[in-house]
Amino acid sequence: MSARIFSGEREAAGIDPANRGLAYGDGLFETMRVHRAGVPLWSRHLARLREGARRLRIALPSADFIEARIADAIAGCDAGVLKLLLTRGEGGRGYAPPAAAEPVWLLSRHALPASPAAGLRLHWCEMRLASQPALAGIKHCNRLEQVLARAEAEAAGCDEGLLRGIAGDAIGATSANLLVLHGGRWLTPPVDACGVAGVLRGWLLERGLAEVADLAPDAVESADAVALCNAVRGILPVASLGARAWAPHPAFNELRSGLAMAYPMFAEDRGAA
Amino acid sequence: MSARIFSGEREAAGIDPANRGLAYGDGLFETMRVHRAGVPLWSRHLARLREGARRLRIALPSADFIEARIADAIAGCDAGVLKLLLTRGEGGRGYAPPAAAEPVWLLSRHALPASPAAGLRLHWCEMRLASQPALAGIKHCNRLEQVLARAEAEAAGCDEGLLRGIAGDAIGATSANLLVLHGGRWLTPPVDACGVAGVLRGWLLERGLAEVADLAPDAVESADAVALCNAVRGILPVASLGARAWAPHPAFNELRSGLAMAYPMFAEDRGAA
């Protein structure tokens, strides 16, 4: 992977072994779709990054500087993925965040993931997401739950894993939010105790195209349709969850058409992460 | 910080930006006391590292190789701290652990922390430790809870923060286990839902010098004495927790003397991390 690395607003040569992202996952990230040298949903990515930086008290370089470096990084890129990783910076041994750490952050470009041939096959993970309101919603770098859950899904031969919280309700997939169709309405679980507030989920909620609801496993399995969404892949249909299978549903195409009106790059199925 | 970096059993020049420790906190660490070019409690550190590697399915270089590199790193060191950081290695974008990742690991030496002048001042943290049995006990690198809790303790002008679990019981300090004296017995909270199974805590339990018990906040505040322990500092007395203060207690000196019989480097108070 090639990446550009910055310490505050200066370019850096490499990652210091004392980087706190490496030591403690003390950082945040955003994974973004690149389309015709632009980043759809950028303002939402930036807002989530700012919210994460506020909650973790990580310094954030100026948005102007970040945006200029992103423009450099995606110049000439017609379609791809851009990852921004923001760490608190370097520090000595010990958990205490240094008072004046210079944030170290990285930009890396990646290929757009391959399109799945059909709807996604989902696996109910054994791994549960712990309840931690202090970290819920933001895209921080403490992701061992997702790493282990994704390994479970792969071991089951599935495309993605569906995670439950401690109370048993569905929360989301390892790298996408969950959308569940009931009575003509798309529902998505709350992310105030665990899970990530996906930027595309946020867009759907604000447009009134989805609404937040608690979703017990039964409510997922009895749904008329199920989909996953994230800012890289857009909205993808789910074909199965364990033994439960779904046929394509017209409401899915409607939902994706609604998204494609605003963001044409998501008009068709372009890939699964 | 200077560190030696290894990829499997080869020395590496630096940290790749695609390191999964950096991306996801996908790793483990051990922080060890160095004494006369040796590591007291090493076999316990190695056992915990192995247990963590097994649970996270991270490859571990051979113990012989690790031990030889540690011997290099601490040659001539009379007293200090050695940190071993083991990451899953490098990977592309995405949570799925690469099937054949070469683990990347670091050894770094640090100064022994300064001795506190008196007993430790503890702060009850607002931050609660989330329940996550899949990660409890091991010393993984998802440590944002500890980072934020330590910042709380520092903001309160205290030496350490005491963390409760979701149910409200005390679990431990950000970087030490908790020992609480009741009726002449030292008690320490379970670490099967959250918290770290400290190597010194393990030694005390096996020797019958402490025992595991649930400890509500009241049970901590009503204790005859309170202490913290870890593998760097040994056992340190606690002087206060919020408004509650404790005078030095003879049982503390007894406990430390018991430890010092086996590990003389912990005979006296050598520092607070």
Side-chain angles (χ1 to χ4, degrees):
Chain A
M1 185 178 98
S2 78
R4 289 185 70 186
I5 304 168
F6 301 90
S7 177
E9 301 194 355
R10 288 170 300 106
E11 189 136 15
I15 301 296
D16 191 286
N19 185 286
R20 292 176 57 95
L22 190 65
Y24 305 129
D26 194 0
L28 297 158
F29 67 110
E30 292 292 330
T31 309
M32 299 168 277
R33 177 73 168 252
V34 179
H35 182 72
R36 295 186 184 170
V39 176
L41 298 159
W42 164 247
S43 63
R44 289 177 184 272
H45 286 291
L46 178 61
R48 182 172 62 185
L49 187 65
R50 280 186 165 139
E51 167 67 5
R54 185 189 67 75
R55 279 162 66 182
L56 301 185
R57 279 175 264 168
I58 294 178
L60 192 63
S62 79
D64 284 354
F65 187 82
I66 294 175
E67 287 167 3
R69 296 296 77 73
I70 287 180
D72 296 345
I74 66 177
C77 177
D78 189 55
V81 173
L82 179 74
K83 179 169 175 173
L84 189 163
L85 171 60
L86 171 72
T87 74
R88 191 183 303 276
E90 289 142 25
R93 196 183 65 75
Y95 294 127
E102 188 86 54
V104 170
W105 56 288
L106 294 79
L107 288 175
S108 58
R109 247 173 62 186
H110 307 264
L112 205 57
S115 292
L120 300 173
R121 292 154 302 154
L122 261 55
H123 170 73
W124 279 119
C125 293
E126 288 299 318
M127 168 68 67
R128 298 290 182 101
L129 291 170
S131 289
Q132 181 47 276
L135 300 176
I138 61 176
K139 211 159 165 73
H140 59 72
C141 294
N142 275 198
R143 294 294 162 194
L144 281 170
E145 289 177 330
Q146 284 73 23
V147 169
L148 296 179
R150 190 69 180 220
E152 269 192 66
E154 297 215 334
C158 289
D159 300 304
E160 250 285 22
L162 195 53
L163 286 149
R164 286 162 283 189
I166 293 297
D169 284 356
I171 305 296
T174 68
S175 60
N177 286 112
L178 175 66
L179 295 164
V180 162
L181 186 70
H182 271 287
R185 294 150 61 210
W186 288 100
L187 309 176
T188 188
V191 292
D192 48 0
C194 54
V196 173
V199 295
L200 187 48
R201 172 184 180 275
W203 185 88
L204 292 167
L205 292 173
E206 272 189 27
R207 289 299 175 287
L209 297 171
E211 52 200 285
V212 175
D214 292 325
L215 289 168
D218 278 359
V220 180
E221 294 184 354
S222 66
D224 299 320
V226 173
L228 296 184
C229 68
N230 73 22
V232 167
R233 302 181 290 176
I235 309 175
L236 292 179
V238 169
S240 66
L241 171 59
R244 171 72 160 105
W246 287 274
H249 195 287
F252 175 82
N253 293 329
E254 263 176 56
L255 185 68
R256 189 150 66 182
S257 297
L259 174 65
M261 291 287 285
Y263 295 103
M265 72 291 297
F266 295 128
E268 57 180 272
D269 188 355
R270 287 294 304 273
Chain B
M1 184 178 100
S2 77
R4 288 185 71 184
I5 305 168
F6 301 90
S7 177
E9 301 195 357
R10 289 170 299 110
E11 188 137 18
I15 301 295
D16 190 288
N19 185 286
R20 291 176 58 95
L22 189 65
Y24 306 129
D26 193 0
L28 297 158
F29 68 110
E30 291 292 331
T31 309
M32 300 167 276
R33 176 73 168 251
V34 179
H35 182 74
R36 295 186 186 169
V39 175
L41 299 158
W42 163 247
S43 64
R44 289 177 184 271
H45 286 290
L46 178 61
R48 183 172 61 183
L49 186 65
R50 280 185 166 140
E51 167 66 5
R54 186 189 66 76
R55 279 162 66 182
L56 302 186
R57 279 175 263 167
I58 293 178
L60 191 63
S62 79
D64 285 353
F65 187 82
I66 294 174
E67 286 166 3
R69 297 296 77 74
I70 288 180
D72 297 345
I74 65 177
C77 177
D78 190 54
V81 174
L82 179 73
K83 179 168 174 173
L84 188 163
L85 171 60
L86 171 72
T87 74
R88 191 183 302 276
E90 290 142 28
R93 195 182 65 76
Y95 293 126
E102 187 86 53
V104 171
W105 55 289
L106 293 78
L107 288 175
S108 58
R109 247 174 61 186
H110 306 264
L112 206 57
S115 290
L120 300 172
R121 292 154 303 154
L122 261 55
H123 170 74
W124 278 118
C125 293
E126 289 298 319
M127 168 67 67
R128 300 290 183 100
L129 291 170
S131 290
Q132 180 48 276
L135 301 175
I138 60 176
K139 210 159 166 73
H140 59 72
C141 293
N142 276 199
R143 293 293 163 195
L144 281 169
E145 289 177 330
Q146 285 72 23
V147 169
L148 296 178
R150 190 69 180 222
E152 270 192 64
E154 297 214 335
C158 288
D159 301 305
E160 250 285 22
L162 194 53
L163 285 148
R164 286 162 282 190
I166 293 296
D169 284 355
I171 305 296
T174 67
S175 60
N177 286 111
L178 175 67
L179 295 164
V180 161
L181 186 70
H182 271 287
R185 294 151 61 210
W186 288 99
L187 308 176
T188 187
V191 292
D192 48 0
C194 53
V196 173
V199 295
L200 187 47
R201 172 184 180 276
W203 185 88
L204 292 168
L205 291 173
E206 273 189 26
R207 290 299 175 287
L209 297 170
E211 53 200 283
V212 174
D214 291 325
L215 289 168
D218 279 359
V220 180
E221 294 184 355
S222 65
D224 299 320
V226 173
L228 297 184
C229 68
N230 72 23
V232 167
R233 302 182 288 177
I235 309 175
L236 293 179
V238 169
S240 67
L241 171 59
R244 172 72 161 102
W246 287 274
H249 194 287
F252 175 83
N253 294 329
E254 262 176 57
L255 184 68
R256 191 150 64 182
S257 297
L259 174 65
M261 291 288 285
Y263 296 103
M265 72 291 299
F266 295 127
E268 56 180 273
D269 190 353
R270 287 294 303 273

